[in-house]
Amino acid sequence: MTHSPSRVATSATTNISLEPNDPHRLAALCGPFDQNLKHLEKRLGVHIRNRGNLFQISGPEQRSKAAGALLSQLYRETQHNDSIEPDQVHLFLQEAGVDQLLAREAAAAEDGAAGEVDLVIRTGRKTIKPRGGNQSRYVEEIRRHDINFGIGPAGTGKTYLAVACAVEALETQRVNRILLVRPAVEAGEKLGFLPGDLAQKIDPYLRPLYDALYEMMGVERVNKYIERNIIEVAPLAYMRGRTLNNAFIILDESQNTTIEQMKMFLTRIGFGSTAVITGDITQIDLPRGQKSGLVHVRDVLRGVEGISFTHFGSRDVVRHPLVQKIVEAYAAFKEPEPAGRGAARAGPATGDDGDGG
């Protein structure tokens, strides 16, 4: 890649050449109808023109340099991805400011000659690359530790990546089975009114886990593995009394476990097993005054060797850009106290609502 910036008044024009000159990779970078370039233009306030692998970026100097750095970063992604999606562009924009983008680009140029080691998760039907530093650290921690916690808001990829790591571990025969577990507590829902036994009642709430498995392994194979008990999807209550050896276990929505349930789950883990516990402590649905096991375990197990904690924030959200703004708005909003109820509310303030906010 070559840069040749030339200042024009308060603006600058940055010219970059992306190598190698590969039409397929360039098409993936630009996106259908140049949607990725338009997204960069809108977010950074620059103008981008290109002919083949030569790109000209015009706008405020720092922003045009940042756009060039980001284009180079995204072009490297096309080496392992057939397409660059808008959410990937969004994530790179969110993950770092102008200065960080330029610093990352300089570091990548230095490391490029030595060969960059890409962190990817390989499953039967697709290769998954963590998006951003926090997701990469999360995957690295899962591969290095037996017990891992992924804590953060919806849309940060914590559950999806955990499922991907589980599928990879199964397909490389590092484990013999996968267990997907959730507590039987849902926001505003009364499970007793749903038909079937407890497993059937909770099954619809596990649909995101099924969808991830189907995407990575195919519907037919997943259903066959479920029939053979190689993949088991179960409510947390079904874990009591079991010891799980040579398994990859994912406890999703763990903010809705009690302290006793969390301890019970963690003590089920046997030899050769990996556990990933995911949750969002801002969305606790336990009865008021009952402390979340996820909130509690952060203090109990902090610093214990062999256990990792990865915390995600609104900047890690990889869904629609508005989702990040929604998460931040809810985090910043404080509901006004009803008149005359301050003393009444003071007592339970040590419960989950206070801890989880």
Side-chain angles (χ1 to χ4, degrees), residues 49-258:
R49 291 188 299 175
N50 79 294
R51 177 173 294 178
N53 68 328
L54 303 176
F55 287 75
Q56 185 180 80
I57 306 134
S58 304
E61 184 175 14
Q62 286 295 94
R63 293 190 179 195
S64 63
K65 286 183 178 180
L70 189 52
L71 281 172
S72 298
Q73 259 189 311
L74 290 169
Y75 193 61
R76 284 195 296 275
E77 295 293 310
T78 63
Q79 185 175 352
H80 303 285
N81 295 282
D82 294 332
S83 63
I84 299 294
E85 302 297 330
D87 59 352
Q88 202 166 355
V89 179
H90 166 70
L91 182 68
F92 275 107
L93 281 162
Q94 291 301 117
E95 191 190 27
V98 169
D99 293 338
Q100 290 168 305
L101 278 170
L102 294 172
R104 268 214 312 261
E105 175 61 16
E110 291 176 6
D111 296 339
E116 193 179 54
V117 178
D118 287 291
L119 183 65
V120 296
I121 306 168
R122 292 179 173 84
T123 65
R125 299 187 63 169
K126 65 185 303 185
T127 297
I128 297 153
K129 183 176 176 62
R131 298 175 176 179
N134 222 12
Q135 285 196 358
S136 296
R137 285 189 291 274
Y138 180 53
V139 172
E140 288 174 346
E141 298 283 26
I142 291 173
R143 289 175 170 174
R144 284 170 32 212
H145 297 87
D146 292 337
I147 299 177
N148 308 272
F149 290 84
I151 303 171
T156 51
K158 55 189 183 295
T159 301
Y160 183 83
L161 288 173
V163 174
C165 289
V167 172
E168 182 184 57
L170 180 66
E171 293 184 338
T172 55
Q173 300 183 339
R174 296 202 304 271
V175 298
N176 297 331
R177 54 202 301 251
I178 296 173
L179 281 88
L180 307 175
V181 185
R182 282 185 76 170
V185 177
E186 296 299 330
E189 301 291 341
K190 301 298 183 183
L191 295 177
F193 290 100
L194 298 174
D197 60 21
L198 183 56
Q200 292 170 324
K201 291 174 190 289
I202 201 172
D203 192 68
Y205 296 107
L206 292 158
R207 183 54 52 188
L209 302 178
Y210 281 115
D211 289 342
L213 285 171
Y214 291 153
E215 183 179 332
M216 297 170 198
M217 301 178 74
V219 175
E220 186 177 339
R221 190 174 172 208
V222 169
N223 291 338
K224 182 174 72 173
Y225 278 7
I226 290 174
E227 288 175 8
R228 293 167 56 187
N229 228 29
I230 295 174
I231 296 176
E232 181 181 350
V233 185
L236 178 59
Y238 284 22
M239 296 296 104
R240 190 173 298 277
R242 302 176 63 177
T243 300
L244 306 169
N245 295 316
N246 301 310
F248 199 112
I249 313 131
I250 299 172
L251 173 59
D252 194 29
E253 299 290 336
S254 66
Q255 75 274 8
N256 290 326
T257 62
T258 63

Side-chain angles (χ1 to χ4, degrees), residues 280-324:
D280 178 1
I281 59 174
T282 68
Q283 296 191 23
I284 297 170
D285 301 314
L286 293 169
R288 186 172 179 82
Q290 188 168 33
K291 188 166 185 176
S292 164
L294 181 60
V295 172
H296 181 256
V297 81
R298 289 186 308 170
D299 299 323
V300 173
L301 298 182
R302 182 182 289 119
V304 175
E305 189 175 351
I307 299 176
S308 77
F309 286 85
T310 303
H311 293 270
F312 296 91
S314 59
R315 289 170 61 88
D316 299 306
V317 172
V318 293
R319 293 181 182 169
H320 191 285
L322 281 176
V323 174
Q324 182 203 359

